[in-house]
Amino acid sequence: MSNWVDEFPIVLWSYRTTGRSSMGEMPFSLTYGTEAVLPLEIVAGSLRTESFEERDNEEGRRQDLDMLDERRDDAQVRQALYKSCTENYYNHQVRVKNLKVGEWVLRKNDSGHVEPLGKLSVTWEGPYKIVDAQKNGAYVVEAQDGHAIPRTWNAQSLRHFYS
């Protein structure tokens, strides 16, 4: 087995020269303004390495550097759009639970770790009464006898109790 220190430069190279779907560019090209020449292209040869001319290369390099700021701006816009689409997809999947103060709920057993979990263990425990609704879906609950249950509980760990 090889040491991870020996493999680290190879991993970094592959990370930097792989295109990102979020921004449509490679980190290498956004940093240096041009695409990387892969070691395989140097050893095995490719159209790009075989048709290399130093005079044309300098002019092409200047043009690439002139366009670099625009490419970075485009990549930033694409990345913001990608994040927005990802956020919208996630938010579309979330189901909002509207629980109100005074309602009775059951609490998920695995979130409180009250009883040991097993194959035949009880999934929901309670009922509990909602005493206070805080922001971001957090609720304070109390048991049937009126004693408060410590800490707040997320709406994902609660569900309506129908008696």
Side-chain angles (χ1 to χ4, degrees):
M1 182 177 211
S2 64
N3 192 355
W4 70 270
V5 175
D6 299 333
E7 302 294 327
F8 194 64
I10 298 167
V11 172
L12 276 179
W13 177 260
S14 64
Y15 177 79
R16 292 174 180 157
T17 57
T18 303
R20 301 283 174 261
S21 61
S22 62
M23 58 186 167
E25 295 280 349
M26 291 183 258
F28 185 94
S29 66
L30 289 177
T31 303
Y32 299 107
T34 187
E35 289 188 22
V37 176
L38 302 176
L40 181 64
E41 289 181 290
I42 295 171
V43 174
S46 71
L47 182 62
R48 185 164 56 156
T49 58
E50 291 174 4
S51 64
F52 174 77
E53 299 234 3
E54 191 150 346
R55 285 182 315 213
D56 298 336
N57 184 49
E58 287 184 32
E59 181 61 32
R61 185 77 178 120
R62 281 193 205 103
Q63 290 174 357
D64 287 344
L65 290 176
D66 287 342
M67 298 296 292
L68 184 59
D69 287 334
E70 186 177 329
R71 286 179 53 205
R72 286 177 180 164
D73 291 341
D74 289 344
Q76 189 174 16
V77 168
R78 280 194 302 271
Q79 188 170 26
L81 179 64
Y82 181 84
K83 286 181 180 181
S84 174
C85 290
T86 304
E87 179 183 7
N88 289 339
Y89 176 78
Y90 174 79
N91 289 339
H92 184 70
Q93 303 297 322
V94 174
R95 293 184 181 177
V96 178
K97 290 185 180 179
N98 294 322
L99 302 173
K100 298 181 180 89
V101 175
E103 288 183 340
W104 290 91
V105 293
L106 296 174
R107 182 178 68 179
K108 215 180 243 186
N109 187 24
D110 63 350
S111 53
H113 301 292
V114 175
E115 296 179 21
L117 295 177
K119 188 174 186 177
L120 300 175
S121 65
V122 177
T123 309
W124 296 92
E125 60 183 15
Y128 299 100
K129 185 177 182 181
I130 296 178
V131 179
D132 185 26
Q134 298 178 352
K135 61 182 176 181
N136 297 332
Y139 296 93
V140 177
V141 297
E142 69 179 20
Q144 286 178 325
D145 61 4
H147 76 276
I149 305 298
R151 78 184 186 99
T152 58
W153 297 90
N154 190 293
Q156 298 298 322
S157 299
L158 303 173
R159 77 175 200 191
H160 285 284
F161 172 71
Y162 303 101
S163 55

